[in-house]
Amino acid sequence: MKHLAGGIQWTVFLIASSIAAPIAIAHVFGMDPVATSLFMQRTIFVLGIACLIQAFFGHRMPINEGPAGLWWGIYVVYAGMVGIFYTTSTDALQALQSGMLYSGVLFIILAATGIITKMKVLFTPAITFTYLMLLILQLSGTFIKGMMGVEEAGDHLDPVILLGSFIVLVITFIAMANKRPSISRYAILVSIALGWGIFLMLGKTPTIAKVSDQLIQLPKMFVYGKPVWDSGVLVTAIFITLLLVANMLASIRVMEHLLEQTFQITQPDRLRQGAFASGFIHLIAGAFSAIGSVPISGSAGFVGTTRMPSIKPFIIGSTLLVLITLFPSIMAIFAALPAPVAYAVTFAIFTKMVSMAFNELDADPEKERARQAVAFGLMVGVGTMFVPAESLSQLPAVVASTLSNGLITGTILAIIIEQYMIRRRQRNSYSKM
């Protein structure tokens, strides 16, 4: 009974930390209620499967998988390319679906060759800071427009939606900062529930779609068509995978430290197994046309607060999550969450990433080198965001897709600049010897 109660708590936590991403992505791609419900079903189904794969075959720790913020950002970027580089939203989603498969294969290659443990040298505090800040800056416009009720160019601000979004934002900040664990632990769930109620009273909630007459329905595969070759998405997938590796390594290390220091539980080194599992998880995400996932560092806070280091409740909670997704009527209810609520809650979450980014930069021992790399990365990355995508449409697809993405362009440049300065300093040191 104790493990069952803990499992239910894990299920609530998994849903609360995963629901906003598919809602927001479905909104930017203009999906109707039915498509939104099915997209959410597939994404959360894959997340539940991902947790079970990691628990049995991967790192074998209670670390929940969540929609990768990196992929989330890329989805938003590619939604802006519809009508420019992609004819329809389906074409863009088909390319991203294939990107998950590229990423899965790369994960497996990195794990098999042992490269995965050597990659951390590129992701210095300065590079992490640059990437986080560019991601935040790139997505902030989408969040603000969503909270204003502005969906397309030419739309006017909706005062009612803006008021509701502001109230939800305040509630989220209060819940996240509450000293009572029973509230702060479920801040996202509390904010979504109250926000949903507020928008219901304001008359701004979408209708609940009737997805299927069937009581139980399995998620469909390759919804947007067969996998396709897209060189631009390949470049993006390679870069995102490298960053996801760093994210995964950090999440595993944080949980290992918690289990050893707080619960005196020593974990064997299973980084490579975790990477193999992440590869298969991305292949599954691509097959089910869902968002790729990543181990979430916040799970360490959940385990520390609930005092549940055992993996059994985690497995039970993940299993319950998979079972819930098989009922279309339940998923349709979740899909009716107003998009501005998801944007407001996500906005609050991303404000925490700003402090995380500056903490990373402060940890860099080479302050001058870090600032130079960051300066180049941010100026080029942010500047690229203001270049109209139409201006690059005549370039080869791989070049256009890379240059039109300020997030990728800025971060790559920061890595090149910093590695050049490191090599130059090493050469100067050798010449003086």
Side-chain angles (χ1 to χ4, degrees):
M1 182 60 69
K2 175 177 140 183
H3 288 323
L4 178 60
I8 294 174
Q9 187 169 232
W10 264 113
T11 303
V12 173
F13 178 72
L14 289 167
I15 293 177
S17 60
S18 305
I19 190 174
I23 289 289
I25 289 174
H27 183 66
V28 297
F29 274 97
M31 296 184 191
D32 60 34
V34 174
T36 298
S37 175
L38 294 175
F39 182 61
M40 178 184 293
Q41 179 201 28
R42 296 193 302 273
T43 295
I44 296 183
F45 172 79
V46 169
L47 292 179
I49 295 295
C51 291
L52 292 174
I53 289 175
Q54 289 285 13
F56 286 109
F57 308 107
H59 50 62
R60 294 183 180 175
M61 287 185 286
I63 306 175
N64 68 294
E65 295 273 326
L70 304 175
W71 277 120
W72 187 349
I74 296 304
Y75 266 87
V76 173
V77 170
Y78 272 73
M81 295 182 182
V82 175
I84 301 171
F85 295 111
Y86 299 97
T87 306
T88 64
S89 295
T90 300
D91 293 332
L93 289 166
Q94 184 181 27
L96 289 167
Q97 167 186 281
S98 303
M100 299 298 157
L101 301 178
Y102 305 158
S103 183
V105 172
L106 182 58
F107 255 115
I108 293 172
I109 292 173
L110 293 174
T113 57
I115 296 175
I116 196 162
T117 57
K118 302 175 182 178
M119 289 173 46
K120 292 186 287 186
V121 295
L122 293 178
F123 298 95
T124 63
I127 300 306
T128 304
F129 171 82
T130 303
Y131 177 81
L132 288 175
M133 288 304 298
L134 286 173
L135 178 65
I136 293 163
L137 292 170
Q138 191 155 11
L139 293 180
S140 59
T142 301
F143 296 153
I144 294 297
K145 287 192 292 185
M147 291 166 61
M148 290 180 174
V150 177
E151 298 182 7
E152 300 176 355
D155 287 352
H156 296 290
L157 180 151
D158 189 324
V160 176
I161 290 180
L162 178 59
L163 174 62
S165 299
F166 178 75
I167 295 173
V168 175
L169 187 63
V170 172
I171 290 173
T172 306
F173 278 122
I174 293 174
M176 289 169 64
N178 197 285
K179 294 182 179 180
R180 286 176 288 183
S182 58
I183 295 179
S184 60
R185 184 187 310 157
Y186 302 114
I188 297 174
L189 185 64
V190 170
S191 302
I192 288 175
L194 293 178
W196 204 335
I198 290 169
F199 272 73
L200 185 62
M201 291 188 292
L202 295 175
K204 294 293 183 178
T205 55
T207 56
I208 298 176
K210 185 176 181 180
V211 181
S212 174
D213 293 326
Q214 298 176 329
L215 177 63
I216 297 177
Q217 180 178 350
L218 292 173
K220 294 182 179 179
M221 301 176 70
F222 296 113
V223 174
Y224 306 114
K226 296 179 180 179
V228 295
W229 175 256
D230 189 309
S231 56
V233 173
L234 175 63
V235 173
T236 300
I238 291 173
F239 189 70
I240 291 300
T241 303
L242 298 179
L243 289 169
L244 289 178
V245 167
N247 191 316
M248 181 196 71
L249 294 174
S251 297
I252 291 177
R253 291 304 184 197
V254 168
M255 182 59 75
E256 285 179 342
H257 181 77
L258 173 72
L259 294 177
E260 291 175 4
Q261 298 297 319
T262 305
F263 301 103
Q264 288 73 53
I265 300 174
T266 302
Q267 293 290 325
D269 187 353
R270 296 185 61 84
L271 289 176
R272 290 184 67 183
Q273 291 88 334
F276 272 117
S278 289
F280 286 108
I281 289 167
H282 270 74
L283 292 176
I284 294 172
F288 281 97
S289 308
I291 311 169
S293 68
V294 67
I296 304 299
S297 300
S299 54
F302 179 81
V303 170
T305 302
T306 59
R307 311 288 298 180
M308 287 193 310
S310 173
I311 200 170
K312 291 181 181 178
F314 176 73
I315 293 173
I316 293 173
S318 302
T319 303
L320 290 174
L321 184 69
V322 173
L323 294 176
I324 287 175
T325 62
L326 302 182
F327 294 87
S329 56
I330 297 178
M331 296 311 302
I333 294 174
F334 284 119
L337 171 69
V341 174
Y343 284 124
V345 172
T346 308
F347 183 93
I349 295 171
F350 268 70
T351 59
K352 296 292 185 182
M353 293 180 65
V354 177
S355 61
M356 287 172 53
F358 279 100
N359 288 336
E360 284 287 336
L361 187 61
D362 291 340
D364 199 313
E366 298 288 340
K367 303 295 184 186
E368 188 61 31
R369 185 189 71 204
R371 288 167 184 163
Q372 289 183 39
V374 167
F376 276 100
L378 287 182
M379 290 184 67
V380 172
V382 174
T384 303
M385 295 177 191
F386 289 95
V387 177
E390 296 88 343
S391 303
L392 307 173
S393 59
Q394 299 300 316
L395 297 174
V398 62
V399 178
S401 296
T402 303
L403 292 180
S404 63
N405 188 333
L407 172 66
I408 302 299
T409 303
T411 310
I412 289 177
L413 181 62
I415 290 176
I416 293 173
I417 294 295
E418 185 175 55
Q419 289 301 310
Y420 168 75
M421 289 189 291
I422 291 173
R423 300 293 184 274
R424 186 179 65 179
R425 188 188 64 178
Q426 290 174 344
R427 286 197 302 268
N428 291 338
S429 298
Y430 291 144
S431 64
K432 293 178 182 180
M433 293 177 64

